[in-house]
């Protein structure tokens, strides 16, 4: 089935989706952008290509790209023990012989498991927590100190805590906030003008930022969900901006990077790590060779998104919505659009 504009709007009504935006990539170029619905239910504030959505865990794709750029520059080492690079906090001593490395953190195989009931959205009434306090279990966002739970490299366990450690490594080594490093090395040179890691939503930002909605299409409490873990889930962006980053990855694989990412490091992101077939560095994988698909999913309070790319075919798709349907992305409207586009 090929979804037309009318069909997308009909499916949005079916799933109570208030706003949706997408971008497609073909032959390594931005092919099209489409926008539907409103930024906030009950208003006439329509979604357009400049509307910014909460990308949630798709932030990890940006983090993966950033780490690879910094390793290319010799600032970071993928396979060194992270405690050799951490300054303000250290991974607690553990009984296992294998190392906790950036490679294992990026591929969710560091042996670190997220504590139960951790890494929720920020209560904007509270002050912004420090990453060190989060890692030490001193905040409501993570009440248990982060530690190595199993042998590093032995098992896959999806971990927001692992990306918090990556963020701390980057900040310790560069001496700059994570958002600033991301802006200097990725957002500004790629002209990703609508991408940032905000700690709150000011009135100035509201003109472009979408509100979040629940599965019934009702506005979430406070209107916006902010996560105080930028590297893991703090990105706000547009499909077109994320498309620019996918195109940069495609270009880097062909030796044409705009931000200094070598072909070797770009290819490293797409390799299976520690024997886990589907785990790359900051992305997930499916298929192989020319048909290789990489993906990243974003799912948080009030928002759901998905990006997929076929680096060797030079195609891609980014879909962002301002509604949490309670369904996995592939079982809702995002999955319908994905399967429709895949057949084109």
């Amino acid at each position: 089935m090929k979804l037309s504009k009318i069909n997308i709007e009909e499916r949005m009504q079916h799933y109570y989706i208030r706003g949706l935006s997408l971008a497609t990539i073909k032959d390594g170029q931005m092919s099209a952008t489409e926008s539907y619905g409103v930024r906030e239910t009950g208003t006439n504030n329509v979604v357009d290509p400049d509307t910014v959505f909460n990308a949630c865990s798709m932030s990890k794709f940006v983090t993966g790209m950033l780490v690879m750029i910094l390793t290319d520059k010799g600032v970071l080492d993928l396979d060194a023990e992270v405690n050799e690079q951490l300054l303000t906090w250290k991974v607690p001593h553990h009984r296992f012989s294998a190392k906790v490395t950036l490679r294992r953190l990026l591929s969710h195989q560091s042996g670190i498991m997220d504590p139960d009931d951790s890494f929720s959205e920020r209560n904007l009434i509270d002050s912004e927590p420090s990453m060190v306090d989060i890692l030490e279990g001193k905040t409501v966002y993570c009440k248990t100190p982060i530690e190595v739970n199993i042998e590093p490299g032995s098992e896959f366990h999806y971990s927001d805590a692992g990306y918090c450690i990556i963020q701390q490594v980057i900040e310790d080594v560069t001496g700059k906030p994570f958002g600033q490093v991301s802006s200097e090395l990725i957002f500004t040179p790629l002209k990703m003008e609508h991408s940032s890691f905000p700690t709150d939503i000011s009135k100035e930002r509201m003109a472009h930022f979408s509100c979040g909605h629940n599965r019934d299409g009702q506005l979430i409490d406070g209107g916006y969900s902010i996560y105080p873990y930028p590297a893991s889930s703090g990105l706000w962006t547009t499909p077109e901006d994320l498309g620019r980053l996918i195109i940069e990855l495609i270009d880097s694989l062909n030796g044409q990077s705009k931000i200094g990412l070598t072909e070797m490091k770009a290819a490293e992101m797409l390799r299976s790590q520690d024997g886990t077939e589907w785990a790359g560095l900051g992305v997930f994988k499916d298929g192989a060779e020319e048909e290789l698909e990489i993906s990243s999913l974003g799912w948080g309070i009030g928002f759901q998104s998905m990006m997929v790319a076929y680096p060797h075919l030079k195609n891609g798709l980014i879909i962002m919505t301002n509604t949490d349907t309670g369904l996995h992305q592939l079982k809702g409207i995002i999955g319908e659009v994905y399967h429709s586009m895949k057949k084109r």
Side-chain angles (χ1 to χ4, degrees):
M1 178 180 68
K2 180 178 179 180
L3 289 177
S4 67
K5 179 176 180 179
I6 293 176
N7 285 335
I8 288 180
E9 291 175 338
E10 288 175 350
R11 300 315 290 163
M12 287 175 66
Q13 291 180 10
H14 175 78
Y15 289 108
Y16 301 101
I17 304 295
R18 292 302 178 236
L20 180 150
S21 185
L22 65 85
T24 55
I25 298 163
K26 186 175 179 61
D27 298 325
Q29 302 291 327
M30 201 72 68
S31 173
T33 58
E34 300 177 29
S35 304
Y36 306 90
V38 294
R39 298 196 305 270
E40 180 179 354
T41 187
T43 74
N44 294 319
N45 300 325
V46 298
V47 173
D48 60 31
D50 294 333
T51 298
V52 178
F53 293 80
N54 189 338
C56 306
S57 284
M58 290 202 300
S59 308
K60 295 177 174 71
F61 174 50
V62 174
T63 301
M65 290 284 284
L66 184 58
V67 169
M68 301 313 284
I69 293 166
L70 291 169
T71 56
D72 254 339
K73 293 178 177 295
V75 176
L76 296 178
D77 186 329
L78 271 181
D79 297 305
E81 171 64 57
V82 290
N83 276 349
E84 296 176 8
Q85 301 168 87
L86 284 163
L87 300 175
T88 55
W89 179 85
K90 299 286 187 181
V91 175
H93 178 75
H94 55 86
R95 67 183 187 279
F96 306 104
S97 59
K99 297 186 296 185
V100 176
T101 65
L102 285 171
R103 182 186 300 278
R104 286 172 171 157
L105 290 166
L106 284 169
S107 62
H108 304 280
Q109 298 177 89
S110 66
I112 292 170
M113 301 166 66
D114 290 352
D116 293 338
D117 301 319
S118 59
F119 300 106
S120 60
E121 75 278 10
R122 180 185 167 195
N123 184 340
L124 295 180
I125 297 175
D126 299 334
S127 60
E128 183 181 359
S130 74
M131 188 54 66
V132 170
D133 282 348
I134 290 171
L135 292 169
E136 290 182 347
K138 297 179 178 179
T139 72
V140 296
Y141 306 103
C142 185
K143 299 178 182 179
T144 303
I146 297 304
E147 61 183 3
V148 181
N149 307 103
I150 60 174
E151 182 79 26
S154 65
E155 296 179 15
F156 176 95
H157 289 276
Y158 190 87
S159 177
D160 286 313
Y163 275 72
C164 289
I165 295 172
I166 295 171
Q167 176 178 329
Q168 195 61 59
V169 170
I170 291 172
E171 293 184 341
D172 283 351
V173 170
T174 64
K176 299 176 181 179
F178 180 84
Q180 181 180 342
V181 181
S182 300
S183 180
E184 291 176 355
L185 297 183
I186 295 179
F187 299 157
T188 298
L190 293 182
K191 296 181 170 56
M192 295 172 63
E193 297 174 353
H194 298 295
S195 299
S196 64
F197 293 96
T199 56
D200 58 25
I201 307 297
S202 64
K203 289 184 178 180
E204 291 75 18
R205 292 181 182 272
M206 286 180 185
H208 292 293
F209 277 52
S210 177
C211 294
H213 302 82
N214 63 25
R215 69 183 66 190
D216 297 319
Q218 300 302 310
L219 194 67
I220 62 172
D221 291 343
Y224 307 91
S225 54
I226 297 288
Y227 293 90
Y229 334 98
S232 171
S233 49
L235 177 66
W236 286 72
T237 188
T238 66
E240 186 171 357
D241 269 15
L242 278 177
R244 294 177 189 274
L245 191 56
I246 291 173
I247 291 170
E248 167 60 23
L249 177 60
I250 292 170
D251 288 344
S252 298
L253 289 167
N254 292 279
Q256 299 175 344
S257 173
K258 299 181 182 67
I259 57 178
L261 182 61
T262 62
E263 184 177 349
M264 181 178 71
K265 293 299 184 185
E268 188 69 26
M269 288 187 70
L270 311 184
R271 292 196 183 99
S272 298
Q273 303 294 319
D274 273 326
T276 302
E277 185 65 29
W278 65 84
L281 299 178
V283 294
F284 295 106
K285 304 174 48 190
D286 190 25
E289 299 180 348
E290 287 297 304
E291 298 295 324
L292 172 68
E293 176 188 277
I294 62 170
S295 64
S296 181
L297 301 178
W299 190 350
I301 304 298
F303 295 87
Q304 282 186 291
S305 305
M306 179 179 183
M307 53 152 274
V308 295
Y310 304 88
H312 303 304
L313 298 176
K314 301 183 179 182
N315 298 332
L317 168 68
I318 306 97
I319 311 165
M320 306 189 79
T321 75
N322 62 3
T323 308
D324 173 10
T325 64
L327 299 170
H328 187 278
Q329 282 89 331
L330 290 178
K331 295 182 178 180
I333 190 171
I334 290 175
E336 293 184 15
V337 175
Y338 162 72
H339 288 297
S340 168
M341 296 292 185
K342 197 172 182 180
K343 293 176 182 177
R344 295 184 181 181

